[in-house]
Amino acid sequence: MKPFRAFLLLSFLVVVVFMFSYHLRQPSYWESVVHSQDAVAQVSSLSSSTHSIGNGDRTVDNSGQHSKPGENGESHFDQYPVLKQPIWSVPDPGSEMPPMDAFVLSKAMIEVRAEKNVIAVTFANFAFLDFVLNWVKHLTEYEVSNILVGAMDSKLLEALFWKGVPVFDMGSNVSTIDVGWGSPKFHQMGREKVKLVNTFLSFGYELLICDTDMIFFQNPLPYFERYQSADVLTSSDEVVNSVDDDRLEIWDRSGAAYNIGILYWRSTGRTRSFAKEWLMLLLENDEIWDQNGFDDLLREKLGPSVDNTSGLFYAHHGELKLGILPVSLFCNGHTFFIQELYKKLNLLPYAVHATFQFGGTEGKRHRLREAKHFYDPPEYYNTPGGYIIFNSSIPEALLNGGLHTVESHFNLVNYQLVQIRTAFSIASILNRTLILPSLWCRFDRLWYGHNGKLDGTKTHQPFLCPLDHVFDIDQMLAELDNLEFGPGIGFREYSFIENPLLPHEVKTSVLKVELCNEHSNGCSRQAMSPSAGVLKLPKNSTEYQLITTFDAYKDYKILQFSTAEDAFGGFSDVVREAKFKQRIKMYTGIWCCVLDKTPGHIYYDIYWDLKPNWRPLPPATPEDDHKPQ
């Protein structure tokens, strides 16, 4: 047995040496991009055991087995006509998905999709599948089809392939779940983006690269064509516009961070050199956020203007011609959702990036839904059990009376919170999905102390504020323990009824519910036959009374209450009520922030009216810094 074991050991060593020497002979794309052996090693470590974009390392086929790409790192893309079909062309039923090495990014793949030497690209993992589809759908609506999507995991790649979306394998091997802003995986994803920029520029293509949490409202490519001498065009976190038309922002009056969520690159020697330097910076320090690295490099020296008319200026030691996209047209989350700057300037925006929001990924999704620009699947618009909606009215004095202060802001929001609490109660009792009312605020929300409105902005007071300004959307959608918090309560955005994707049979199946005094004429629980689609319901009905009343009207898709005020008289089941309270207390968020206070945030309390002498004050001690009890 000993000679046999020695033979096995010797054979194993021979195989290892062969595989190692074979790997060393494979050409690495990044060796031509980054002229540093140390940097190449860092890139390799980021890529783990899967291939870097365009190199000749291993890929994984559908069975999970490793397979070898074509010679010199070329993919097998050309061997599969299904990968060249027009966008949204779904593969034939019964067809097989090509092996993973056919999805390796190559110049041949880009050539099939590019138009006028321009390619539009986004990238994601599976957690953002709906964002990717939304991004692609909006572009193709405006006949932009020169699109490629980078898949950071095989699950997303397969899903996009079967939906007819042109996709390539980034070989990133990241998690398929939402990794969360600021996490190490989040930073890894940012570095993958910078790799993509380097790759596409090396192939000689002009590149529109976008985050998936943004959408287009019209074809942006003609706008970029206007600035032929630009090396890079960038979006911005600026909230104060320096131009009132479609010109680029005035660079020395736009001091906020350049935002890499929307970037347009021309493949020039200057851009390729800058992109390599950006990548090197990130590889040398894994704590640098990709956007901060981009911003810092450009700002090493700004100016002067390239000329007197274009709006372009020199950046990065005078080596790069940069332009800042107008924030009224390529909107950030503040100029679009809060200021509605494009409306005030009578402009049709090109895009919005869902920044300046406070609900994580769920908050971004909800923002786009509120704007009626998120393509949800059909079942989102026809939920089992149906919907319930409450007409809302707010006293004029709460909206516009007196000065805009922290107190007047909370008076306005708190008035609405009581009505929303009632609405959630009835929705929970009737097991219906609540269509939330529109929500009005007097004060903006930020991450730091302020006076309620940012200086120089065109924010109206009061304004229609996004749900994430007041509510904690992550908690509203969290899987809370039913034993402690009772059943979950579905909800929809305030604009749901007006969404053109809402089916006609849902929109028209409405029972109007008008509240009345129980002893008035025609207001009786004994004869609850609706007249002309209107049901008279006595005020302050209890849990049991609501259930027995509406059991006969389950077939109506929508119950439309005339008001939430006095609509509910209280729970009959004290255990159910206790669980409901535990759940609903988790739903509200914070307002931020009072000037010169640490902490300066103030918690919204959906049960504020049941607490004598409640006032909107920041936590007095660290022990008080928690959600309301």
Side-chain angles (χ1 to χ4, degrees):
M1 293 296 295
K2 289 183 180 181
F4 181 72
R5 289 180 181 176
F7 172 79
L8 286 179
L9 178 59
L10 179 61
S11 300
F12 174 78
L13 291 175
V14 168
V15 170
V16 168
V17 171
F18 173 80
M19 292 299 294
F20 180 73
S21 61
Y22 171 82
H23 178 76
L24 289 179
R25 290 196 303 270
Q26 300 306 299
S28 171
Y29 167 74
W30 292 106
E31 291 175 6
S32 65
V33 172
V34 185
H35 304 291
S36 164
Q37 292 183 349
D38 291 338
V40 171
Q42 293 182 64
V43 173
S44 299
S45 68
L46 282 175
S47 302
S48 188
S49 63
T50 55
H51 70 277
S52 295
I53 297 166
N55 76 8
D57 294 340
R58 297 178 296 172
T59 56
V60 181
D61 63 24
N62 292 328
S63 66
Q65 300 298 315
H66 291 291
S67 59
K68 178 177 171 292
E71 292 300 318
N72 298 319
E74 291 298 321
S75 76
H76 294 159
F77 170 80
D78 281 331
Q79 300 175 19
Y80 297 92
V82 67
L83 300 180
K84 301 179 182 181
Q85 292 185 142
I87 196 167
W88 298 122
S89 295
V90 178
D92 293 335
S95 60
E96 293 185 0
M97 182 175 171
M100 288 293 283
D101 56 32
F103 294 93
V104 173
L105 184 63
S106 64
K107 189 167 186 176
M109 180 186 289
I110 304 172
E111 284 177 347
V112 168
R113 302 295 172 185
E115 295 177 11
K116 296 182 179 180
N117 204 48
V118 176
I119 190 74
V121 176
T122 192
F123 65 102
N125 66 352
F126 185 76
F128 291 85
L129 171 62
D130 55 348
F131 281 94
V132 171
L133 296 174
N134 196 55
W135 183 85
V136 175
K137 178 69 173 174
H138 276 84
L139 277 175
T140 54
E141 275 191 342
Y142 302 109
E143 299 183 350
V144 178
S145 59
N146 47 328
I147 292 169
L148 278 172
V149 177
M152 306 188 82
D153 59 71
S154 59
K155 192 174 180 181
L156 176 65
L157 188 145
E158 184 171 351
L160 292 177
F161 168 77
W162 291 113
K163 290 182 180 295
V165 175
V167 60
F168 64 91
D169 180 16
M170 291 176 63
S172 305
N173 198 32
V174 303
S175 171
T176 59
I177 64 173
D178 185 355
V179 297
W181 191 94
S183 67
K185 287 289 186 181
F186 174 85
H187 286 294
Q188 179 187 342
M189 292 175 75
R191 281 150 175 74
E192 297 291 335
K193 178 178 186 173
V194 185
K195 292 181 187 180
L196 280 184
V197 172
N198 277 272
T199 300
F200 281 93
L201 294 182
S202 75
F203 285 138
Y205 289 93
E206 296 186 17
L207 171 67
L208 170 60
I209 188 164
C210 307
D211 290 349
T212 57
D213 61 336
M214 60 80 52
I215 55 172
F216 289 98
F217 304 112
Q218 56 176 314
N219 183 353
L221 300 181
Y223 187 91
F224 302 138
E225 287 180 13
R226 289 166 48 180
Y227 299 96
Q228 288 294 322
S229 60
D231 291 316
V232 180
L233 297 171
T234 178
S235 56
S236 170
D237 287 336
E238 182 60 67
V239 296
V240 180
N241 58 301
S242 61
V243 295
D244 292 337
D245 50 26
D246 64 350
R247 292 174 295 158
L248 297 174
E249 295 290 342
I250 301 172
W251 66 271
D252 53 1
R253 288 173 51 190
S254 185
Y258 308 136
N259 191 295
I260 63 175
I262 308 173
L263 286 176
Y264 192 85
W265 299 75
R266 285 196 168 81
S267 181
T268 66
R270 293 182 297 271
T271 56
R272 290 192 292 271
S273 175
F274 174 78
K276 292 173 189 175
E277 186 173 349
W278 185 18
L279 178 61
M280 287 290 296
L281 177 67
L282 300 179
L283 295 178
E284 290 167 358
N285 187 342
D286 59 9
E287 295 184 359
I288 298 178
W289 181 24
D290 54 346
Q291 179 163 301
N292 286 350
F294 178 82
D295 202 80
D296 291 344
L297 285 175
L298 289 175
R299 293 181 185 276
E300 288 177 352
K301 180 184 178 183
L302 295 182
S305 298
V306 172
D307 51 52
N308 295 325
T309 57
S310 69
L312 299 173
F313 62 101
Y314 289 103
H316 188 51
H317 304 297
E319 299 170 357
L320 207 68
K321 296 178 182 178
L322 183 67
I324 305 172
L325 297 169
V327 295
S328 59
L329 294 178
F330 295 85
C331 309
N332 55 55
H334 199 278
T335 59
F336 185 86
F337 297 111
I338 308 304
Q339 295 186 59
E340 296 185 310
L341 188 56
Y342 64 98
K343 291 183 180 180
K344 296 178 174 69
L345 300 178
N346 196 29
L347 298 170
L348 175 62
Y350 282 96
V352 60
H353 186 193
T355 57
F356 286 89
Q357 64 84 41
F358 304 90
T361 301
E362 297 293 358
K364 293 173 182 287
R365 189 178 281 112
H366 196 85
R367 284 277 187 102
L368 296 176
R369 285 171 172 164
E370 288 180 331
K372 295 178 289 188
H373 281 291
F374 200 83
Y375 289 95
D376 282 292
E379 55 268 25
Y380 183 81
Y381 301 98
N382 197 355
T383 307
Y387 304 94
I388 188 168
I389 188 172
F390 294 80
N391 297 339
S392 62
S393 60
I394 303 172
E396 178 66 21
L398 288 177
L399 286 165
N400 294 301
L403 299 175
H404 294 291
T405 63
V406 171
E407 289 74 18
S408 65
H409 167 73
F410 271 86
N411 288 340
L412 170 61
V413 173
N414 281 349
Y415 178 88
Q416 298 169 87
L417 285 181
V418 174
Q419 314 308 314
I420 293 173
R421 184 182 75 205
T422 298
F424 268 120
S425 300
I426 298 176
S428 176
I429 289 167
L430 299 180
N431 196 27
R432 285 179 174 261
T433 296
L434 175 63
I435 301 172
L436 289 161
S438 53
L439 191 60
W440 290 85
C441 297
R442 294 178 71 142
F443 264 26
D444 200 349
R445 178 180 175 180
L446 295 162
W447 295 272
Y448 52 85
H450 60 100
N451 289 316
K453 176 183 175 180
L454 292 180
D455 292 341
T457 63
K458 294 180 171 61
T459 305
H460 281 162
Q461 289 178 286
F463 64 95
L464 182 63
C465 56
L467 186 67
D468 58 81
H469 269 218
V470 175
F471 283 86
D472 187 340
I473 298 179
D474 278 338
Q475 284 297 321
M476 295 174 76
L477 294 170
E479 295 290 335
L480 301 176
D481 182 7
N482 286 8
L483 291 176
E484 181 179 359
F485 298 96
I489 311 169
F491 65 93
R492 294 292 184 267
E493 62 278 7
Y494 71 85
S495 58
F496 183 78
I497 291 292
E498 300 155 6
N499 197 308
L501 296 178
L502 188 68
H504 178 75
E505 62 269 21
V506 175
K507 188 176 295 186
T508 56
S509 178
V510 179
L511 176 65
K512 294 184 178 180
V513 181
E514 292 185 358
L515 299 183
C516 55
N517 294 316
E518 185 168 7
H519 301 296
S520 64
N521 186 34
C523 186
S524 172
R525 294 191 182 88
Q526 304 306 313
M528 301 301 291
S529 177
S531 174
V534 178
L535 176 68
K536 298 285 187 178
L537 179 71
K539 293 180 180 179
N540 297 309
S541 295
T542 65
E543 171 191 9
Y544 175 76
Q545 291 165 339
L546 288 170
I547 291 173
T548 55
T549 296
F550 287 101
D551 185 64
Y553 307 112
K554 290 181 178 178
D555 290 340
Y556 282 94
K557 296 291 187 180
I558 300 173
L559 302 180
Q560 184 175 348
F561 279 64
S562 58
T563 179
E565 191 171 355
D566 298 326
F568 183 47
F571 285 89
S572 307
D573 185 336
V574 294
V575 175
R576 182 172 189 171
E577 179 181 23
K579 292 180 178 181
F580 172 80
K581 284 184 175 181
Q582 284 292 95
R583 175 175 289 277
I584 208 75
K585 285 177 183 178
M586 301 291 292
Y587 282 9
T588 48
I590 63 169
W591 174 78
C592 188
C593 286
V594 176
L595 283 168
D596 304 322
K597 294 283 186 180
T598 303
H601 55 258
I602 303 172
Y603 286 91
Y604 291 105
D605 190 341
I606 205 163
Y607 283 100
W608 68 273
D609 57 320
L610 303 184
K611 298 177 180 178
N613 304 316
W614 185 94
R615 292 184 62 202
L617 296 172
T621 67
E623 291 72 26
D624 297 324
D625 193 1
H626 56 74
K627 283 184 178 287
Q629 302 299 306

